[in-house]
Amino acid sequence: MTGDLQFRWELGGAGWASCRIADGAGEYRANVGYCTDALADLLYAVVGLYGDATVQRVSFDLEPVELRWLFQRRELDVALAMYEFPDGATSWGSPDETGGTLAWSSSSPRGVLGHVVMEAAESVLREHGEDGYREKWMLHPFPVAALQDLRRLHQRDDGCRHERCRGGFEG
Ligand SMILES: [Zn+2]
């Protein structure tokens, strides 16, 4: 298991965002296009790890590369593998084993993953607000409901020791 998982999401110019994930062993960065509702999809994938599902997938459009996140939960740990497919137009929906290159992988407790993804989304909202987000991401509004779901499940189920996660967080 690697520690110190970090995740950042920053809106760039109109219609793209930069995404960075890192742990003690390395980092991965990507510029994500707005053809999919990428941040919402990612939040919902992480939310899914709090239910019965043990596997969640999200695909980002890196124009033309497809970046596919594969989350596999085992008990309370989550292994994340990120694959790049050179031609997103043909790879979308294909099996992970076919034609993808493993670009990054890491494993962490679900509580750590949930916390850093929640915080990254909150910091986007703090910085831009819902209106500012919509202006930059254009095709999709800020995923308020997905963030609320993740916050609620993380604070309920993960026993997170961050100060702001203990005893519930208002607002
Ligand atoms: Zn937390």
Side-chain angles (χ1 to χ4, degrees):
M1 187 196 310
T2 45
D4 302 325
L5 187 70
Q6 298 170 24
F7 180 67
R8 291 286 299 165
W9 188 271
E10 293 187 22
L11 295 179
W16 64 274
S18 73
C19 156
R20 175 181 183 271
I21 189 161
D23 64 11
E27 68 164 9
Y28 178 85
R29 291 171 185 268
N31 288 329
V32 183
Y34 70 147
C35 292
T36 68
D37 195 359
L39 182 58
D41 293 343
L42 180 64
L43 289 171
Y44 277 122
V46 176
V47 162
L49 298 169
Y50 290 81
D52 292 334
T54 54
V55 176
Q56 293 285 318
R57 286 183 180 77
V58 191
S59 284
F60 286 180
D61 187 356
L62 308 188
E63 300 172 21
V65 170
E66 174 191 352
L67 173 65
R68 187 180 303 171
W69 305 57
L70 173 63
F71 297 95
Q72 292 179 286
R73 179 170 64 80
R74 190 166 177 185
E75 306 291 323
L76 292 179
D77 284 322
V78 178
L80 167 61
M82 296 162 79
Y83 294 92
E84 289 179 346
F85 296 79
D87 181 6
T90 58
S91 63
W92 214 266
S94 67
D96 306 316
E97 307 76 32
T98 312
T101 306
L102 183 64
W104 199 76
S105 64
S106 184
S107 185
S108 50
R110 185 186 63 188
V112 172
L113 175 71
H115 188 89
V116 297
V117 171
M118 175 190 81
E119 285 218 312
E122 285 176 344
S123 96
V124 170
L125 184 59
R126 244 191 334 270
E127 185 177 344
H128 298 279
E130 287 186 57
D131 291 345
Y133 183 91
R134 185 66 188 247
E135 258 169 50
K136 291 203 161 199
W137 199 243
M138 299 196 289
L139 294 182
H140 311 275
F142 183 84
V144 175
L147 175 56
Q148 281 172 349
D149 281 357
L150 175 57
R151 186 190 291 136
R152 178 175 54 82
L153 292 165
H154 167 63
Q155 293 179 346
R156 188 189 72 185
D157 294 350
D158 283 334
C160 184
R161 290 195 300 252
H162 280 86
E163 190 176 343
R164 47 162 310 194
C165 289
R166 287 186 315 226
F169 170 72
E170 303 302 324

